[in-house]
Amino acid sequence: MAAFTAWVEYIDTSTVLIFLVVFLCALWLLSSSDGPTNWPPGPKAWPLIGNADLFWNNDHVYMSFVELAKKYGEICHLCLGPRGHLVVLTGHEVIREAFVEKGEYFSNRPTFIPLVKYTTNGKGIVMQHGPHHKLLRRFTLKALRDFGVGKSSLEEKIKEEVQIVLAEFDAQQDVPFDPKQLFDKAVSNIICSIIFGQRYSYDNEEFQHLLSAMNYTFENSGPRNAAAAWLPGPLALTFFPKFRKFIEVDRQTKDFVRERIAEHRETFDEENVRDFIDMYLKAEKDGEETGALTDENIFQVIVDLFLAGTETTSTTLHWGLLYLIHNPDVQRKCRQEILQVVGQDRLPEMKDKGKLPFTEAAILETQRLGSIAPTAVVHTVSEPIKFRGYDLAKDTFVLPNLYQSHTDPAIWEDPFAFNPDRWLDENNKLKNNPAFMPFSVGRRMCLGDSLAKMEMFLFFTTLLQRFDFGMVDADNPPSTEGFQGITRSPPKYELLTSRA
Ligand code: HEM
């Protein structure tokens, strides 16, 4: 990193231009023999850059994909410059066919991208594939289960955090207030309890710094900055100033995790396994599955869980309150149901879930319309294959357009209306819809879905039991148009809280 920075300080414009010309010529040469010719249909590509212009300064790439699907169909091919190919899958059937039925071929990640190599070192769960990924995923799922996901021990932890959040909302009554940071802290503390065995006070500076670093990563790592991920380090540092900050933020997060692991090694007691890190230390001591359970892998798994487990759930809660202030009737109906089933004298619990269908429908509707992972995380093809009559080369990028699946007018009536009733049948029971895939499907499906569902249920129900949420200025309602970083987030907004 220091070497990159020093390099950047000493180069002048002509050096950069020469380097750029050589780089482009190399790309041009590389593109001369470029895989199969029977690609799926797609828009015409420019020389060298292909269709990469689609991503440039585009905060709604998933919406551009919706338009492309109308023209080119369920499988659309885009060229991303020499040897870079992307297929966008549109429609739940084609997505399930690729990720579930043909999951063996469609479940790799683009480990060859320079930024991915740099930040993950080829380790962890999110950006690794192959036998180590499989083993780490199994170990992590088991550890999450053993630690209490789906059990009352973890429910108690979530409820403790929910109570702290209630007190914070209470303190902000009748004052315009943006709840995003509060949700970040609360949700992050739950994942911190699981991984590090401790929660942090909301005014702890290191914790706050870490969370704002994480937000920076999520806001700036979306498709609009994707080009930076492709360039070799020096070029990326030169042309994308955000890349420098991104690398700095990545270092800060990793330093934090490294310190926690070192502390755990010093205080480890195999008779008292406190958290995820201890589970790893114990497995290491017992000589379990040594192939993948290395310090480097576990270190990256922890970074993965910390990043994937915080922003996603927090952003969903943030969308939820935005939709609720736009839909006071839904809010009232949820509260009525909660008060009828739970009352005011105790907090809602997971055992109440089956008895609160309308409230649950409101949560599902938030996930559908918020679509926080509009194109999931990019997959790649593991070997040359034929798919629905088309040839796909090894390493072709694959994105499922989950946003389109959640807003397709052929599936959802009046898709942009926030309408929990669409989830209920005539007996007031929840209905499944195969087009609903907020956690994606197949071998790379989110492994935190059970935890996220517990968190969303306990936060939503408890907040609605206690508070009424309203707009700061009903004549100027906050926008519900999302913007895309790694996740699709609501725009910044403030609300007013009052006791229900
Ligand atoms: C509402 C909250 C959440 C949503 C909507 C969500 C959604 C997703 C999606 C769409 C993917 C990509 C799947 C694919 O590539 O096909 C994913 C991956 C992942 N998520 Fe989540 N997630 C949420 C919460 C969490 C939580 C709480 C955790 C941590 C405990 C977590 C950990 C992960 C991990 C580790 C992966 C990578 C899985 C792999 O590559 O094998 N997520 N998530």
Side-chain angles (χ1 to χ4, degrees), residues 109 125 133 137 308-309 312 316 372-373 377 379 438-440 444 446 448:
R109 298 287 195 205
I125 295 185
H133 166 262
R137 202 177 147 104
T312 44
T316 308
I372 66 137
V377 176
H379 292 217
F439 299 102
S440 187
R444 303 304 297 226
C446 176

Side-chain angles (χ1 to χ4, degrees), residues 448-487:
D449 63 331
S450 304
L451 173 61
K453 285 178 193 165
M454 269 175 98
E455 291 174 331
M456 289 186 294
F457 178 78
L458 293 170
F459 274 97
F460 269 120
T461 49
T462 314
L463 285 172
L464 283 166
Q465 179 191 41
R466 304 290 155 115
F467 297 112
D468 186 65
F469 301 101
M471 286 187 194
V472 174
D473 177 0
D475 293 332
N476 285 304
S479 158
T480 52
E481 195 179 313
F483 70 91
Q484 190 177 15
I486 289 187
T487 49

Side-chain angles (χ1 to χ4, degrees), residues 36 105 120 131 133 137-138 143 155 170 239 251 266 271 311 323 378 392 408 449 466:
Y105 305 103
T120 68
H133 166 262
R137 202 177 147 104
R138 213 170 50 220
E155 181 172 352
D170 224 5
F239 294 110
R251 190 188 55 72
E266 276 171 27
E271 299 302 322
E311 217 271 347
Y323 290 131
V378 66
L392 305 183
D408 183 352
D449 63 331
R466 304 290 155 115

